[in-house]
Amino acid sequence: MNRREFSKCVLAAGAGLGVNVTSAGETSGDYYHEPGKKLPIRKFDVVVAGAGTAGVVTALAAARQGARTALIEVKGYPGGTVTEGGTALHSFYNLWKAFDVERRQVVRGIPQEIIDRLMKVGACSGHAEMSKGYNYDSVCTCIDTELYKLVTFEMLVEAGVHVFVNTMLVGAVMDGARIRGAVVESRSGREAFYGKCFVDCTAYGDLAAYAGASFTEPNDYPVVNSIGVANVSVEKLYDYLNRHDAVTQLARGMRSGQDNQIVRIQGSLANVSRDFHEEARKIGMSMVTTTVHDNYWMFIKLNFKMPVSPTNRDAVTRAELELRQRQYRAVELFRKYVPGCEKAFMARTSPKLCIRRGRLIQCDYDITHEDVIEGRHFDDEVMVYGFHDSAPHLQVKDGGTYGFPYKAQRVAGIENLLAAGMLITSDHRAHMSTRNTVCCMGQGQGAGTAAALCAAKKCGTRDLRYGELRDALNKGGVYFEA
Ligand SMILES: Cc1cc2nc3c(=O)[nH]c(=O)nc-3n(C[C@H](O)[C@H](O)[C@H](O)COP(=O)(O)OP(=O)(O)OC[C@H]3O[C@@H](n4cnc5c(N)ncnc54)[C@H](O)[C@@H]3O)c2cc1C
């Protein structure tokens, strides 16, 4: 059966045409009392939950400080949303175009090391300068999502991290306000990973929630999925959008071994075709692509607003089907409207829907919009950052940086738990900066380094001397200029 016949067949059978998940109904009201179990204990210095954007860097930083480090990941690979959401990293550089300030790289250290390793295997565009769109930002660093998983996996193993993939964090063993262990579940059974210090990098704050920390669930973003589309022509897409004066973002960098190629493109479908725009609107689709290979691109944004928080399993099940139906329709739209995409097909999907905010965990300090925009600095910084997702409308004052304080990573009420990634910062506008991939990675280096020092000193996260943390971060190549 060829592709066209298959399409007709599945359309007739209902694919993408409103097949719905049957409600599982209410629970019965009865309870099963699970018998207590004896769990085998493994002992570590630092336990990191979640091997995503922040978690990979956290575990690398902790292991490089000499900590015996465990990394728990429910999927079969590290990478997280950086390989499943936007698939590009904004932004290693500070803002500079708006203010004529000197161009400089404000996130360095381990995040840059990952880029260096990706470049060696042709899995990264390099820091490709935006020539259109995000006018006051600087670069977009596009990645090969599959090689990102492999490269980071190898780096973790090389650093001596004990990587546990296909392993889900399912609970916490508490001793008052201290976590003694993370309870994990895999096909090898249920175990307790004891540790001296813990870092929650699960994006949803699972470990913090199990430990009894306070959190909110704002449900203020749509859920999204991204797809890898193959058999496409990036040049033809550009020509098509350009002909309609519809190119809104453009960056050129390394693609399939050649420099100065289009690696990120965004178009306004409203300019292109009313029908295309109308059909795309129905499935929450906007035309944003990143690529590091000819004939392939990633990331069509397919937004779907869930009525309840994405921690609700049954609502997520419905959303997962909805997003897959939208993915199918999105590729059909490409095939129908975009020259060079006549034989496009869906080559890859995210294993699960992506979110921008799930649970937000309460920490000792909550970074505010003013902290970001005013470029405020703190006396306990673990990194500095300068990018805002809403550039050019919102940007850090004078093209400078703001500081990321250590206290913003200490989970309130828990003695030995830090957090890194999109699970912190409750202010919606501040979060549009702190959740960015490169900020999450930088936070990881801060949290992992601090956790290892706390474990070595056998102290709580609030008892760590900042001078020691700063020295270790300086040695790790972290940049601190305002
Ligand atoms: C569609 C979309 C587009 C985006 N576009 C951009 C962009 O262009 N540029 C940019 O800079 N940022 C972008 N972002 C934001 C950015 O990608 C995320 O904020 C960031 O990657 C989050 O990193 P994280 O480490 O907090 O979470 P993740 O990278 O999601 O890592 C969490 C990890 O924890 C694991 N995990 C979760 N729960 C458990 C558990 N119970 N047990 C074991 N493992 C668990 C997950 O499997 C995952 O690997 C985008 C986000 C989305 C959703």
Side-chain angles (χ1 to χ4, degrees), residues 10-56:
V10 283
L11 276 169
L17 288 177
V19 176
N20 290 319
V21 175
T22 313
S23 165
E26 298 300 313
T27 51
S28 69
D30 298 332
Y31 288 91
Y32 164 68
H33 291 273
E34 199 175 4
K37 268 188 181 171
K38 244 167 53 175
L39 306 188
I41 295 172
R42 292 177 194 248
K43 290 187 179 167
F44 301 95
D45 296 322
V46 173
V47 177
V48 181
T53 318
V56 162

Side-chain angles (χ1 to χ4, degrees), residues 2-21:
N2 66 27
R3 169 81 201 196
R4 204 154 291 279
E5 286 162 349
F6 172 76
S7 277
K8 276 192 201 152
C9 177
V10 283
L11 276 169
L17 288 177
V19 176
N20 290 319
V21 175

Side-chain angles (χ1 to χ4, degrees), residues 179-405:
I179 304 179
R180 287 185 79 184
V183 182
V184 301
E185 186 103 48
S186 72
R187 290 198 179 85
S188 296
R190 200 169 163 95
E191 297 164 282
F193 286 7
Y194 275 26
K196 294 172 187 147
C197 197
F198 293 78
V199 190
D200 189 340
C201 298
T202 60
Y204 284 80
D206 286 6
L207 181 54
Y210 286 131
S214 299
F215 60 83
T216 54
E217 294 187 60
N219 191 26
D220 54 356
Y221 275 103
V223 293
V224 197
N225 216 331
S226 69
I227 36 182
V229 187
N231 249 352
V232 292
S233 163
V234 183
E235 266 64 41
K236 283 189 180 165
L237 171 66
Y238 173 73
D239 290 344
Y240 171 69
L241 293 172
N242 199 32
R243 250 197 334 273
H244 293 89
D245 198 20
V247 178
T248 50
Q249 281 183 20
L250 190 68
R252 287 193 165 84
M254 290 296 288
R255 197 184 80 204
S256 288
Q258 265 197 300
D259 204 1
N260 204 26
Q261 306 298 304
I262 294 170
V263 292
R264 177 169 176 123
I265 188 165
Q266 178 174 313
S268 161
L269 294 180
N271 288 17
V272 172
S273 141
R274 221 181 55 187
D275 290 348
F276 189 3
H277 179 53
E278 194 44 41
E279 288 183 59
R281 204 184 51 76
K282 284 186 202 151
I283 55 169
M285 170 184 175
S286 48
M287 177 74 83
V288 190
T289 61
T290 68
T291 183
V292 292
H293 298 297
D294 299 342
N295 309 323
Y296 179 78
W297 63 56
M298 279 293 310
F299 184 33
I300 301 161
K301 210 190 294 178
L302 296 164
N303 283 342
F304 172 62
K305 184 70 183 66
M306 288 177 55
V308 294
S309 169
T311 52
N312 179 310
R313 193 257 335 261
D314 295 344
V316 165
T317 304
R318 286 189 284 277
E320 295 279 12
L321 174 62
E322 174 69 34
L323 284 170
R324 289 199 177 271
Q325 289 168 332
R326 289 177 182 218
Q327 288 175 324
Y328 174 79
R329 289 184 199 180
V331 176
E332 290 298 301
L333 290 183
F334 271 120
R335 289 156 62 87
K336 183 171 169 187
Y337 288 105
V338 183
C341 293
E342 294 78 5
K343 293 186 175 171
F345 65 92
M346 205 176 339
R348 174 209 165 277
T349 63
S350 303
K352 55 180 254 318
L353 56 76
C354 297
I355 54 158
R356 287 189 173 79
R357 311 225 278 185
R359 290 192 196 98
L360 295 173
I361 304 303
Q362 193 187 326
C363 291
D364 287 353
Y365 184 77
D366 197 10
I367 295 176
T368 67
H369 176 59
E370 287 68 33
D371 292 339
V372 171
I373 293 303
E374 293 298 320
R376 289 183 187 152
H377 284 268
F378 301 84
D379 57 12
D380 64 341
E381 290 175 358
V382 294
M383 66 179 291
V384 296
Y385 199 56
F387 175 68
H388 199 289
D389 232 356
S390 286
H393 316 294
L394 294 174
Q395 48 194 297
V396 182
K397 192 174 167 186
D398 297 335
T401 64
Y402 65 92
F404 202 100

Side-chain angles (χ1 to χ4, degrees), residues 50 52-54 73-74 81 86 88 169 201-203 206 421-422 435-437:
T53 318
E73 170 56 48
V74 67
T81 304
L169 169 87
C201 298
T202 60
D206 286 6
M422 69 184 192
R435 71 150 178 264
N436 269 275
T437 42

Side-chain angles (χ1 to χ4, degrees), residues 425-437:
T425 313
S426 68
D427 183 314
H428 188 98
R429 289 172 302 172
H431 192 258
M432 290 179 81
S433 177
T434 63
R435 71 150 178 264
N436 269 275
T437 42

